[in-house]
Amino acid sequence: MKHSYVCCLSESCYEHAARVLGETTVRRNEALAEIIQWLQNEQPNLRIHNDVRYVVYFLRTAKYDVEKAKQKILMYYKIRSSRVEWFQNRDPFLAEIQELLDIGVFLPLKQKDIHNRQVVIIRTAAHNPKYHTQDNVFKVDKMILDLLLHLDETISIYGIVAIFDMKNVTLSHALQLPPSLVKRTVESWENYPCRPQLLEFVNAPIHVNFVLNVFRSFMSTKMKSRVKVSKRGTHIGTLVNLPPELGGTGDSYHDLTVYWKKQVQEQAFWFAETEQYRMQST
């Protein structure tokens, strides 16, 4: 890993990081040095991404609380190691991944909202439970999220907004989410270096409240405060141009699906290379 961080974002980005996250050049350099020393001296089995930006990402999620950042790093890479069903065999050309990319289960918008946050649409009922496992759905979700973080550092500063479109969700979809899987999912969300700012569930039928309550039961107080549920419209729709399927005039689900499938396929080598980054077995 390169030990020095090269500033390559706009001045306004770093001003926001200083104001909201407490990031300064001095503080960033000192915290980076401390964590890199900790990794070298105390974590011989942790294979962290070669890009030093990932350490900075974790520092930003922890608002430069170094000990908290260390715990997030450990948890994140342990999850990458233990959840092989999500983080291994991430070949975009595997049939089961191709199918879910064609369906468009996870669709980041191309433009940010008015607060510069990345908006992603998670289509919870787009897949067919008879043919697609929930673990494979989560694998594709995380592949695209990982690619976003790789391509766009500003997400670690401004954060991410997730809109869960629950249109046409069925009991079969709900049954794919036993409490054990929900717990693992929430644990992953809370340790990902992407600063989730809002989790908004839209087109939510009444009968999914049970599943949402299970999700809430595993969330931290902070995460719970960021969950919104609506039967129809979306609050974030006033802050960004959404797809027509959510009442906006932006790129359609189809156009976003085609775009992100191409982006993922073009990064097949990168996905293969990143499978090594995890907690190694002793």
Side-chain angles (χ1 to χ4, degrees):
M1 176 191 292
K2 293 180 180 179
H3 294 180
S4 59
Y5 171 82
V6 178
C7 298
C8 58
L9 303 179
S10 68
E11 184 177 345
S12 62
C13 269
Y14 289 116
E15 288 175 352
H16 184 88
R19 184 172 62 254
V20 176
L21 307 177
E23 179 176 323
T24 65
T25 300
V26 171
R27 193 175 187 188
R28 182 176 60 236
N29 290 341
E30 290 177 348
L32 266 176
E34 182 176 344
I35 287 189
I36 289 171
Q37 185 178 42
W38 167 74
L39 289 169
Q40 292 175 335
N41 296 339
E42 300 182 39
Q43 300 300 327
N45 296 320
L46 201 164
R47 188 71 180 270
I48 193 168
H49 286 71
N50 285 330
D51 190 341
V52 74
R53 290 185 308 161
Y54 282 84
V55 177
V56 178
Y57 289 176
F58 283 104
L59 285 166
R60 287 169 177 160
T61 63
K63 293 189 175 180
Y64 280 82
D65 180 330
V66 173
E67 293 306 314
K68 185 176 179 180
K70 289 178 182 178
Q71 292 308 307
K72 283 182 173 287
I73 288 170
L74 286 176
M75 183 59 71
Y76 174 75
Y77 285 97
K78 284 179 180 178
I79 291 170
R80 287 184 67 91
S81 178
S82 61
R83 302 269 68 84
V84 294
E85 63 272 24
W86 300 344
F87 294 104
Q88 295 293 302
N89 298 317
R90 301 171 107 194
D91 180 352
F93 296 97
L94 289 175
E96 59 269 27
I97 294 179
Q98 284 270 300
E99 289 178 12
L100 291 167
L101 288 173
D102 284 332
I103 290 170
V105 293
F106 189 96
L107 301 174
L109 301 191
K110 296 179 186 178
Q111 74 277 17
K112 307 294 179 62
D113 73 4
I114 63 171
H115 300 304
N116 292 314
R117 301 176 300 186
Q118 175 66 57
V119 178
V120 301
I121 298 171
I122 300 169
R123 301 176 63 209
T124 58
H127 68 285
N128 188 332
K130 290 182 179 179
Y131 307 113
H132 305 112
T133 69
Q134 191 64 54
D135 279 327
N136 278 339
V137 172
F138 285 156
K139 176 189 281 193
V140 171
D141 291 353
K142 293 176 190 305
M143 286 175 68
I144 299 176
L145 178 55
D146 285 351
L147 183 56
L148 276 176
L149 293 171
H150 171 63
L151 297 175
D152 187 356
E153 184 182 341
T154 67
I155 294 171
S156 70
I157 293 176
Y158 294 106
I160 195 164
V161 168
I163 300 175
F164 296 79
D165 184 357
M166 306 191 77
K167 185 177 181 180
N168 297 326
V169 70
T170 65
L171 179 61
S172 295
H173 291 103
L175 291 174
Q176 284 192 308
L177 291 164
S180 58
L181 181 55
V182 172
K183 182 180 180 180
R184 291 196 295 269
T185 303
V186 173
E187 185 178 62
S188 176
W189 285 352
E190 297 206 339
N191 288 283
Y192 242 80
C194 61
R195 302 194 65 240
Q197 300 296 294
L198 175 66
L199 305 175
E200 185 170 16
F201 294 81
V202 302
N203 297 321
I206 294 175
H207 66 265
V208 303
N209 282 339
F210 173 75
V211 175
L212 295 181
N213 286 337
V214 175
F215 271 93
R216 288 190 184 97
S217 71
F218 294 113
M219 290 179 179
S220 65
T221 300
K222 179 186 286 188
M223 185 70 80
K224 286 178 185 176
S225 72
R226 294 177 176 176
V227 173
K228 308 289 182 187
V229 181
S230 61
K231 293 181 180 179
R232 295 184 180 85
T234 164
H235 164 71
I236 197 66
T238 63
L239 307 178
V240 67
N241 192 8
L242 292 171
E245 291 86 350
L246 291 178
T249 58
D251 292 319
S252 68
Y253 281 178
H254 174 267
D255 290 343
L256 290 170
T257 297
V258 171
Y259 175 82
W260 282 106
K261 180 181 180 182
K262 182 174 184 291
Q263 298 304 306
V264 169
Q265 289 178 331
E266 289 178 350
Q267 295 290 339
F269 178 82
W270 178 81
F271 283 114
E273 191 268 339
T274 57
E275 289 191 13
Q276 65 183 298
Y277 301 128
R278 56 194 176 91
M279 183 67 76
Q280 305 291 321
S281 58
T282 56

